[in-house]
Amino acid sequence: MSASAGEGAAVTAAWDFSGPLDSSRAEDLESLRADLAAADYSSEGVEGIVGAPAFEALHAEQLAPGRLLLADFWAQEDRAAQVAGAEEDSLASASGAGERAEAQRRACAVMAGWWVFATPQPAERLAAAFPRTGLEGLARLGFLALEDAEAPAGASLRPLADLRPHEGDDIGLIWVASDLGSHYAEKALDSEYVLGVGQASLTLARSIVRTPARSALDLGTGCGIQVFHLLAHCDRVTATDLSERALNYTAFNLLLNADRLRLREVDGAPRVRLLRGSLLEPVEGEAFDLVVSNPPFVITPRNARTDSSRYTYRDGGLPGDRLVAELVQTLPRVLKPGGVAQLLGNWEIVGDEPWDSAPRAWEASARETASALQPSGGDADAWFIQREETDTLQYALTWLSDAVRTWDAGAQEAALAEYRDDFASRGVTRVGFGLVLLRRPRGPEDAWRTGSVFEEITHPIEQPVGPSLAAALERRAQTARAAAAGKAGELFAVVAEDVTEERHQRPGAEHPGVILLRQGAGLRRTCLLSSELAGFVSAADGELSVAQIAGALEAILEEEGLAERLVPEVLQLVDEGFLVLPAVEG
Ligand SMILES: C[S@@+](CC[C@H](N)C(=O)[O-])C[C@H]1O[C@@H](n2cnc3c(N)ncnc32)[C@H](O)[C@@H]1O
């Protein structure tokens, strides 16, 4: 038994979640892993076969270009085989570097066709692409129906579950299993559908503050995508889900990729715990350094129809945006002092109200509850970043077509009407989407100076944005401590590397009318400066402290009280990353 299989055996007993895949078969897992690696079933491998444009088209869920190119690939292969009068070599029997490379391309083409491009594959091609696992092994693992394992050559076989490559700088190449997408079955998704790695999964993964941590929680883990990345920087990870089927996939994925995810035990205890239950119920009374969640935040009209066939992967079963509200209000309870929670969410916008009305109300209510429960700082600072806003009709259409591609007109109209009436019952006109970050202060001294932050940033931001959010948290804690100690003036600030200044001036004017600072990285904000603050920024080279520069400006401009007025504005520039504190950031 290999090292990873041994690790698997140590934890699978606790991971006995029923579902489509069987992760208790160490030898079959080992064989599958070896076949996938030998085929170079990676994004690069797949792109190498269908080309960049067809590969890129996958982002828009367009499979047709890749399917066409794969059909061409096999036509060419068949012609070449006829010319050579040779039978197809399997990867196991191929000899010589050229033949092995050819066999590798064929195996990768089979896997890409079967999973990525949702095309049934002939039994003999599958058998050749999986020489170690075999059709029987695929069936034992749950990827193939048992009767298909004995299908005659030429039979066209469909998989029962999806498996595709996922890469990250932190974890390298892994393979992630989930339910088959709707391209295979042109019908409504099953209500227990387990999502693969989607755009929202990646948006969250790229936003996570990845400082080393001892303990992390992934709430609503799905196929486990957030856990895989958490394992790269957290000693122990707890993953929860309401869906047993989701935990079945997570367990399988962890064990299939055990080596690359370094799933080995730390201090005698497994690094990952998988727990079934709703929201925080499975971890009641525990606290973590980091909590991440891509929760089932999709707003859904509540009625007997939507409740009886609830899409667990996206619908938390509560009215409107209550699920996100509840998480914002309760997550601080499971954060250690200094701990951070990050989640994605939707919020409803009523009438002409500003986008942040609901987030501000949730935040205020979370603080009230926290101070009632724990008067000395049991609450958290919140940072909401609204990334987009959608009108209610567009929102309804997007989510209705996400699960059902083939509506008949009457049913779609009825479902749209449910959405219209549901939104109207609360006066909702728009829906916001964004990132939420909650940070529990270590104590009153490092609670954010200006309280919670509500920002709308709809332009493209640097990705991954996680490192920039991590640096922002450091700076905010630093300015908070300095201000609390009355030492803000003693900080030394310099202009951040990515920041440029823009001055706009009427022709012939003596002074610029507009001075802007722009960030080239991170959240790529723009900030309008007063001429005094612009004077400060020009002098901020780290030689003089904040108080010294502000004092000098007050003297030069002969404006009494200027220094005192400038300091908080300068701290704001530090909080937002236009200025940085070299002593803190090293
Ligand atoms: C949008 S998916 C996120 C999956 C994965 N974490 C990702 O980032 O792609 C939401 C997950 O939350 C789970 N879920 C739904 N209701 C839940 C609840 N009340 N408590 C915990 N998890 C829940 C679903 O089963 C699903 O796996």
Side-chain angles (χ1 to χ4, degrees):
M1 197 178 266
S2 75
S4 56
E7 285 158 11
V11 284
T12 34
W15 290 357
D16 191 13
F17 300 106
S18 67
L21 298 184
D22 185 348
S23 53
S24 69
R25 300 177 173 277
E27 282 91 19
D28 285 332
L29 277 180
E30 186 73 57
S31 303
L32 177 62
R33 195 181 302 128
D35 283 339
L36 297 168
D40 184 27
Y41 183 44
S42 58
S43 300
E44 208 181 332
V46 176
E47 186 176 335
I49 289 167
V50 298
F55 191 73
E56 290 297 316
L58 287 171
H59 294 309
E61 295 215 31
Q62 292 296 338
L63 272 54
R67 284 174 171 166
L68 274 179
L69 285 154
L70 279 174
D72 291 348
F73 173 89
W74 288 113
Q76 216 171 340
E77 288 288 309
D78 290 348
R79 274 197 302 278
Q82 274 171 5
V83 170
E87 289 189 346
E88 281 188 2
D89 282 311
S90 82
L91 204 48
S93 63
S95 61
E99 276 181 30
R100 270 202 302 278
E102 268 308 296
Q104 182 181 64
R105 275 173 68 74
R106 281 199 296 274
C108 187
V110 172
M111 295 174 187
W114 211 36
W115 284 312
V116 180
F117 295 99
T119 312
Q121 297 290 308
E124 67 277 16
R125 266 190 210 155
L126 279 172
F130 294 94
R132 300 163 188 82
T133 320
L135 298 187
E136 297 78 12
L138 287 173
R140 283 192 298 271
L141 288 169
F143 285 101
L144 199 60
L146 284 175
E147 60 275 17
D148 283 349
E150 287 161 15
S156 187
L157 305 182
R158 296 158 60 95
L160 296 178
D162 193 57
L163 184 72
R164 55 187 68 208
H166 172 74
E167 288 99 357
D169 289 345
D170 49 352
I171 52 176
L173 166 66
I174 60 167
W175 299 284
V176 181
S178 64
D179 272 329
L180 291 177
S182 53
H183 292 284
Y184 253 116
E186 287 294 331
K187 64 180 179 74
L189 296 178
D190 197 78
S191 67
E192 278 300 296
Y193 178 73
V194 177
L195 202 62
V197 180
Q199 274 315 309
S201 328
L202 296 176
T203 299
L204 180 66
R206 290 172 183 147
S207 310
I208 298 303
V209 169
R210 299 212 181 273
T211 40
R214 289 180 72 80
S215 60
L217 167 68
D218 175 22
L219 191 154
T221 194
C223 66
I225 173 65
Q226 307 302 334
V227 177
F228 312 146
H229 291 283
L230 289 172
L231 281 168
H233 64 108
C234 303
D235 288 347
R236 294 189 199 292
V237 181
T238 300
T240 68
D241 207 292
L242 184 62
S243 154
E244 173 139 26
R245 189 178 176 90
L247 293 169
N248 170 274
Y249 275 116
T250 303
F252 182 89
N253 290 330
L254 286 166
L255 294 171
L256 178 65
N257 300 289
D259 281 344
R260 290 189 179 161
L261 297 175
R262 294 181 293 116
L263 201 59
R264 65 185 181 280
E265 301 182 353
V266 170
D267 306 333
R271 293 186 64 204
V272 179
R273 255 187 336 160
L274 300 183
L275 304 175
R276 185 167 180 217
S278 183
L279 301 180
L280 291 176
E281 174 244 352
V283 292
E284 207 53 70
E286 296 187 40
F288 303 86
D289 297 305
L290 178 63
V291 178
V292 308
S293 184
N294 171 12
F297 58 74
V298 176
I299 298 166
T300 310
R302 299 264 64 96
N303 57 43
R305 185 183 67 78
T306 56
D307 287 345
S308 65
S309 57
R310 172 149 78 88
Y311 290 118
T312 325
Y313 76 93
R314 66 179 215 196
D315 171 11
L318 297 180
D321 52 19
R322 290 318 305 162
L323 183 116
V324 181
E326 185 165 331
L327 285 175
V328 168
Q329 288 163 342
T330 53
L331 283 177
R333 275 190 231 153
V334 293
L335 288 181
K336 289 185 183 167
V340 169
Q342 291 183 264
L343 61 147
L344 299 179
N346 270 147
W347 34 85
E348 296 184 330
I349 305 170
V350 171
D352 294 332
E353 284 183 6
W355 73 265
D356 52 358
S357 292
R360 281 182 189 275
W362 301 342
E363 190 261 2
S365 141
R367 282 198 194 275
E368 252 172 54
T369 319
S371 59
L373 290 174
Q374 198 176 343
S376 56
D379 58 359
D381 290 317
W383 184 1
F384 282 80
I385 303 177
Q386 172 158 293
R387 295 286 291 137
E388 53 183 69
E389 206 174 280
T390 318
D391 67 71
T392 46
L393 173 66
Q394 194 53 48
Y395 186 87
L397 283 173
T398 301
W399 289 109
L400 288 175
S401 61
D402 176 67
V404 188
R405 284 176 198 276
T406 50
W407 284 98
D408 68 69
Q412 190 182 26
E413 274 168 35
L416 259 184
E418 284 173 2
Y419 257 111
R420 180 199 56 201
D421 297 347
D422 183 56
F423 280 132
S425 70
R426 294 183 296 277
V428 178
T429 51
R430 292 160 294 148
V431 178
F433 165 80
L435 288 170
V436 186
L437 186 151
L438 307 166
R439 177 181 178 274
R440 185 165 168 195
R442 290 179 195 283
E445 71 289 350
D446 77 343
W448 294 345
R449 270 178 328 106
T450 50
S452 292
V453 180
F454 302 85
E455 286 187 272
E456 183 171 27
I457 299 182
T458 51
H459 53 250
I461 59 177
E462 184 189 20
Q463 290 294 1
V465 73
S468 147
L469 300 184
L473 293 186
E474 279 296 314
R475 288 192 307 271
R476 280 187 190 279
Q478 191 65 20
T479 56
R481 272 187 234 110
K487 294 184 173 172
E490 294 174 25
L491 294 171
F492 285 78
V494 297
V495 180
E497 285 279 318
D498 63 309
V499 166
T500 51
E501 188 186 82
E502 237 175 65
R503 288 174 179 247
H504 298 261
Q505 194 163 353
R506 297 277 309 156
E510 202 178 334
H511 299 293
V514 175
I515 308 173
L516 298 173
L517 285 188
R518 283 192 196 280
Q519 292 174 323
L523 292 172
R524 299 198 171 123
R525 297 184 185 95
T526 300
C527 163
L528 182 65
L529 295 184
S530 64
S531 53
E532 295 88 346
L533 200 52
F536 185 99
V537 170
S538 309
D541 59 4
E543 295 291 314
L544 298 173
S545 71
V546 168
Q548 285 168 325
I549 302 176
L553 280 171
E554 181 172 317
I556 294 166
L557 298 172
E558 296 176 2
E559 201 181 315
E560 205 179 322
L562 177 66
E564 202 181 329
R565 191 160 50 77
L566 271 183
V567 172
E569 291 179 22
V570 169
L571 295 190
Q572 180 76 19
L573 289 183
V574 174
D575 286 347
E576 293 184 350
F578 291 98
L579 297 176
V580 294
L581 305 170
V584 178
E585 302 189 12

